[in-house]
Amino acid sequence: MPMTTALLSSLDQLFTLATLLSMAIGVVAGVIAAAIPGFTVTMAIVLTLPVTFTMPALQGVATMLAVYVGGCTGGLISAALLGIPGTPSAVATTFDAYPMARRGEPGRALGLGIWASFFGALISAVILIVAAPPLAMIAVKLGPWEYFSLILFAVTVVASLVGKSVLKGLMMSLLGLFIATIGQDPMMGVPRFTFGLDLLASGIPFLVVLIGIFAVSQLAGEVENPDELRQNKALIQGRIRFEPFKVMREVLSRPGNLIRSSLVGVVIGAVPGAGGSIANLIAYDQAKRASKTPEQFGTGIADGVVASESGNSATAGGGLIPMIALGIPGSAVDAVLMAALMVQGISVGPRLIMDNADLAYGIFLAMFLSAAMVLVFCLLSMRWFLRITEIPKSIIVPVVLICCAVGALAMNNRVTDLYLLVGIGLVGYLLAKLDYPLAPLVLGVILGPIAETNLRRALMTNEDWTLFLTRPISLALLILALLSVAFTVRRALRQRRAS
């Protein structure tokens, strides 16, 4: 399909009343979910997925993108007003936004974060459009050897970047890969690792793992202290003054910080499994290093808020680059977006741009549109929707649990999936208590079938396993995998000696 035709087709599909309305609802849901401490963007995306099953492909993905982009911004609300990050990707935002709000400038703190998030999302969308198509053209020429090595590299990167222990990260990645093998063999059709249980005969659906790990385990942590369930504290007291255009000029007066932090977000977002929480901290760290007054960071300065929020929001577009170009999710959120396309029967990867160009361009345009919608909504409705955070946990937790159950049932309509959901959720809760990172497990479940398929394809094409080492790109990726682990181990040893 010619580019002009594909672009016009995507515009025609995107700018319909139904799509615009569902995106607007998605923006509101994403911002509200991220504003409530303890309820992550991933949870909001997972709960949105079943709703999109009956939508056309572009409308469904655009709706979830709206939730995603909204969530990237919403986390700054509680970070600025309470000093509690609404999402893990807003941790560094608390360093300067909270002191700024506490000294009597809450409107400025929120405004800086909103505008920085908007520009960060726009910059990442531009880079997505520029980088994804040529990368997809290269990826088409890769064989199963390169894909297997790429996924192995992605798994090691996730294990080394997430959590304090690389060993724990690798263990969780391996556990995720093992879970992906449970059920029927995709080629032979025989059961594997079911232990004679009918419950496992059909495998463990990745959506059940996503909801169980990210939602149920989190909710179990929220209700472990009964006293907290009876608390009813508001996020905001009194009236907040907004000066949106004055704050916009303040953000744009820092182009170096804005662009650098956004680029950090794009790069980190494109690394499978890294995500906004890492980009948020690294962007803040780089801004502090480049500043002439680094000692002022943490006291409530604008550069800190701009760096953390633009870096966080830029991961949205960055994470879509490997998903669209390579078929590898950049984060758990991107994995859910992949699931939405797969449910529609659309293959994700380098063939997406070639076989479904109108859908690919629609995703690009949806990024811009989502960022604009989030900006307008936040600037106009900030004072009112914050009241949602006054709802006590005793009401929110059971409502979200019901939504989780509906989401788990929606995929296959199997009651056994509910048992798996509860079991995986409790296992996730225990693992989190033992300080094991959960993201590598989920990414292992997502990437496991892709790795197995490409490994089998490679060995069926040629039984010579040394091709993984003699093909240049495959060898380079395997070396990078070893280096990522070695670098993390070396860093951990240095920190241990220093302490």
Side-chain angles (χ1 to χ4, degrees), residues 268-322:
I268 297 298
V271 175
S277 55
I278 296 175
N280 183 252
L281 291 165
I282 292 180
Y284 185 89
D285 176 69
Q286 292 302 308
K288 184 176 180 179
R289 290 175 184 272
S291 175
K292 296 179 180 179
T293 56
E295 69 281 355
Q296 294 184 11
F297 276 72
T299 62
I301 66 170
D303 277 321
V305 181
V306 171
S308 57
E309 279 304 306
S310 57
N312 164 29
S313 291
T315 58
L320 291 175
I321 294 175

Side-chain angles (χ1 to χ4, degrees), residues 346-411:
I346 297 171
S347 60
V348 182
R351 300 297 312 180
L352 176 64
I353 296 177
M354 299 178 183
D355 299 337
N356 299 278
D358 56 338
L359 178 59
Y361 283 105
I363 292 173
F364 298 156
L365 293 173
M367 277 291 299
F368 288 101
L369 187 56
S370 298
M373 284 183 168
V374 171
L375 176 68
V376 173
F377 175 71
C378 287
L379 293 180
L380 293 181
S381 306
M382 186 67 71
R383 300 182 187 93
W384 294 276
F385 82 80
L386 282 174
R387 300 302 178 187
I388 192 71
T389 54
E390 295 181 356
I391 300 176
K393 291 181 182 179
S394 59
I395 296 176
I396 292 179
V397 169
V399 169
V400 175
L401 275 175
I402 292 173
C403 293
C404 290
V406 172
L409 279 173
M411 179 66 83

Side-chain angles (χ1 to χ4, degrees), residues 21 24 83 87 101 109 133 139 150 211 241 256 322 335 409 420 457 459 469-470:
L21 182 60
T87 61
L150 177 64
I211 297 176
R241 181 182 177 187
L409 279 173
L420 291 172
R457 282 178 55 201
L459 295 177
L469 302 175
T470 56

Side-chain angles (χ1 to χ4, degrees), residues 168 427-437:
K168 288 183 176 180
V427 169
Y429 170 73
L430 293 174
L431 289 172
K433 283 294 181 183
L434 295 173
D435 203 24
Y436 281 86

Side-chain angles (χ1 to χ4, degrees), residues 58-402:
L58 181 55
Q59 181 184 354
V61 175
T63 301
M64 288 196 290
L65 274 176
V67 177
Y68 187 12
V69 177
C72 289
T73 302
L76 76 93
I77 297 169
S78 54
L81 300 175
L82 282 182
I84 303 173
T87 61
S89 57
V91 171
T93 305
T94 61
F95 299 164
D96 281 288
Y98 184 58
M100 186 182 294
R102 292 290 77 90
R103 70 170 182 239
E105 298 179 291
R108 180 176 173 232
L110 292 174
L112 285 169
I114 292 168
W115 280 108
S117 293
F118 171 69
F119 289 120
L122 287 188
I123 292 172
S124 73
V126 171
I127 296 175
L128 169 66
I129 294 172
V130 173
L135 191 57
M137 297 297 292
I138 296 173
V140 171
K141 301 177 182 179
L142 300 180
W145 301 271
E146 287 78 15
Y147 261 94
F148 177 79
S149 299
L150 177 64
I151 292 168
L152 188 62
F153 171 54
V155 169
T156 59
V157 168
V158 173
S160 60
L161 284 179
V162 180
K164 299 177 182 178
S165 170
V166 65
L167 180 60
K168 288 183 176 180
L170 288 172
M171 289 172 60
M172 296 303 289
S173 296
L174 291 174
L175 178 60
L177 293 173
F178 171 73
I179 292 174
T181 64
I182 295 175
Q184 287 193 345
D185 186 298
M187 294 188 177
M188 306 298 293
V190 296
R192 305 181 300 182
F193 306 114
T194 60
F195 307 102
L197 299 175
D198 294 335
L199 183 69
L200 302 176
S202 299
I204 302 178
F206 61 87
L207 184 62
V208 172
V209 176
L210 278 172
I211 297 176
I213 289 295
F214 285 110
V216 176
S217 63
Q218 177 65 45
L219 293 174
E222 294 293 337
V223 299
E224 63 183 6
N225 187 345
D227 293 334
E228 290 187 359
L229 294 178
R230 293 187 287 269
Q231 292 181 358
N232 185 17
K233 295 181 180 179
L235 273 181
I236 184 172
Q237 300 287 340
R239 186 177 181 182
I240 291 180
R241 181 182 177 187
F242 283 99
E243 296 177 317
F245 296 107
K246 179 181 179 181
V247 176
M248 179 190 71
R249 289 192 295 270
E250 190 174 0
V251 172
L252 292 177
S253 67
R254 295 166 168 79
N257 186 11
L258 180 63
I259 295 173
R260 179 184 58 252
S261 301
S262 299
L263 291 177
V264 168
V266 171
V267 172
I268 297 298
V271 175
S277 55
I278 296 175
N280 183 252
L281 291 165
I282 292 180
Y284 185 89
D285 176 69
Q286 292 302 308
K288 184 176 180 179
R289 290 175 184 272
S291 175
K292 296 179 180 179
T293 56
E295 69 281 355
Q296 294 184 11
F297 276 72
T299 62
I301 66 170
D303 277 321
V305 181
V306 171
S308 57
E309 279 304 306
S310 57
N312 164 29
S313 291
T315 58
L320 291 175
I321 294 175
M323 189 195 86
I324 292 176
L326 303 173
I328 295 176
S331 66
V333 173
D334 298 310
V336 182
L337 292 174
M338 279 183 61
L341 292 172
M342 292 163 65
V343 167
Q344 299 278 356
I346 297 171
S347 60
V348 182
R351 300 297 312 180
L352 176 64
I353 296 177
M354 299 178 183
D355 299 337
N356 299 278
D358 56 338
L359 178 59
Y361 283 105
I363 292 173
F364 298 156
L365 293 173
M367 277 291 299
F368 288 101
L369 187 56
S370 298
M373 284 183 168
V374 171
L375 176 68
V376 173
F377 175 71
C378 287
L379 293 180
L380 293 181
S381 306
M382 186 67 71
R383 300 182 187 93
W384 294 276
F385 82 80
L386 282 174
R387 300 302 178 187
I388 192 71
T389 54
E390 295 181 356
I391 300 176
K393 291 181 182 179
S394 59
I395 296 176
I396 292 179
V397 169
V399 169
V400 175
L401 275 175
I402 292 173

